[in-house]
Amino acid sequence: MAPRPRPPEAERLSQQHQRPGVAPFTERTPRVIAARRLQRRRERDESGLFLAEGPQAVREALAAGAVKELFATEEATGRHPELTEDATLVTDGAIAALAETVAPQGLVAVCHQPGVSLADALAKRPRLVAVLAEIRDPGNAGTILRTADAAGAGAVVFAGDAVDPYNGKCVRASAGSVFHPDVVRDGDPEAVVASLKRGGLTVLAATGYGDTDLDDLADTGGLAGPTAWLFGSEAHGLPEPLLAAADHRVRVPLHGRAESLNLAAAAAVCLYASARALRRPAPTRP
């Protein structure tokens, strides 16, 4: 059987990215080795860089102007020519070394961390903020970041001893949302709450033992103004000082027989309740 002819676009990209006599980068190429080090938090913190893999994350990183360098396999340049005009060609082995997934999609970007402070984020007067206090599971954290973005949050704060938002699993779970709202890291959760209050936001602590019902709060207009939600870890919830500092401790009502909601589901319910309230037209006076 005759080999299938290469698409013209793939042929053009191959010629563009690979000069005659220059092989694609391998897992032993110094630039690939340097990028791979970003899988470690220490390297990310020291360099201010992180890795984003897959076409969705790369597309959002390019749109945000966050890409420092893009690595792509020849196959990926053929599938995604709109993303790979300035990519560096690498082997499948190099991508396997850079990616942290079982089946890499051929694209890995080295990206700049935005380095936004809480003061910078609050200066934009966000109407919805999510605070991830001491949440260490990267999958949960990335999912909440993605949900907060979808609900229209202007900032997501990783407070205290929380997971690094630029951890590979967290970035993947965010599905590109790590490039949308302001992502803030702050080591003092109580100071975060104080800053949010000074910024005019009502601070709500999500807890299964809350004394305020989410439905009641929504029905009485308690979600109509700028709001910051505090979410704690799946295993331990929010620390007592944060519960005490919040304006309300809010529970999600359980109308069936389930014992509880997991963290990401509860966060989605809370954030979307706020999103709906913030977008509801003000009642007209008779």
Side-chain angles (χ1 to χ4, degrees), residues 117-144:
S117 70
L118 183 58
D120 292 339
L122 292 179
K124 300 176 185 178
R125 304 186 67 82
R127 291 176 56 77
L128 183 60
V129 174
V131 179
L132 283 60
E134 314 284 349
I135 294 177
R136 299 180 186 178
D137 181 85
N140 267 338
T143 300
I144 295 172

Side-chain angles (χ1 to χ4, degrees), residues 7-268:
E9 183 67 13
E11 186 69 40
R12 182 187 69 79
L13 286 164
S14 179
Q15 294 170 0
Q16 174 179 327
H17 296 305
Q18 187 177 347
R19 299 189 304 274
V22 179
F25 285 1
T26 73
E27 59 269 35
R28 296 184 179 87
T29 303
R31 276 160 59 186
V32 174
I33 292 171
R36 189 179 184 185
R37 294 193 187 106
L38 296 173
Q39 293 172 356
R40 300 195 293 264
R41 180 166 185 167
R42 177 178 174 182
E43 295 290 336
R44 295 194 297 270
D45 288 346
E46 290 180 355
S47 67
L49 301 171
F50 70 103
L51 298 177
E53 64 175 278
Q56 176 62 22
V58 168
R59 182 176 292 106
E60 300 307 320
L62 288 168
V67 175
K68 180 177 186 289
E69 184 168 23
L70 175 60
F71 299 105
T73 62
E74 188 171 346
E75 182 182 357
T77 63
R79 288 200 311 269
H80 305 287
E82 77 285 3
L83 303 178
T84 55
E85 182 177 351
D86 297 317
T88 298
L89 272 181
V90 296
T91 63
D92 290 342
I95 284 293
L98 290 169
E100 297 180 80
T101 52
V102 175
Q105 299 179 65
L107 294 171
V108 176
V110 176
C111 302
H112 296 280
Q113 299 179 22
V116 179
S117 70
L118 183 58
D120 292 339
L122 292 179
K124 300 176 185 178
R125 304 186 67 82
R127 291 176 56 77
L128 183 60
V129 174
V131 179
L132 283 60
E134 314 284 349
I135 294 177
R136 299 180 186 178
D137 181 85
N140 267 338
T143 300
I144 295 172
L145 171 54
R146 180 181 182 179
T147 302
D149 178 25
V156 178
V157 183
F158 287 68
D161 190 19
V163 66
D164 177 13
Y166 305 109
N167 168 290
K169 186 174 181 180
C170 187
V171 172
R172 292 193 301 276
S174 81
S177 287
V178 71
F179 299 105
H180 298 162
D182 286 331
V183 175
V184 176
R185 289 191 287 183
D186 195 298
D188 189 341
E190 292 177 58
V192 167
V193 171
S195 295
L196 292 168
K197 288 185 173 183
R198 287 196 298 272
L201 288 93
T202 299
V203 177
L204 305 177
T207 170
Y209 305 99
D211 48 18
T212 301
D213 182 282
L214 177 63
D215 287 348
D216 293 340
L217 192 65
D219 291 344
T220 56
L223 299 178
T227 300
W229 279 99
L230 306 180
F231 302 109
S233 72
E234 183 99 39
H236 305 293
L238 287 163
E240 188 57 41
L242 292 187
L243 290 171
D247 294 300
H248 298 285
R249 288 151 294 283
V250 184
R251 67 181 184 277
V252 175
L254 300 174
H255 303 297
R257 298 173 62 185
E259 184 270 334
S260 64
L261 292 173
N262 68 24
L263 174 61

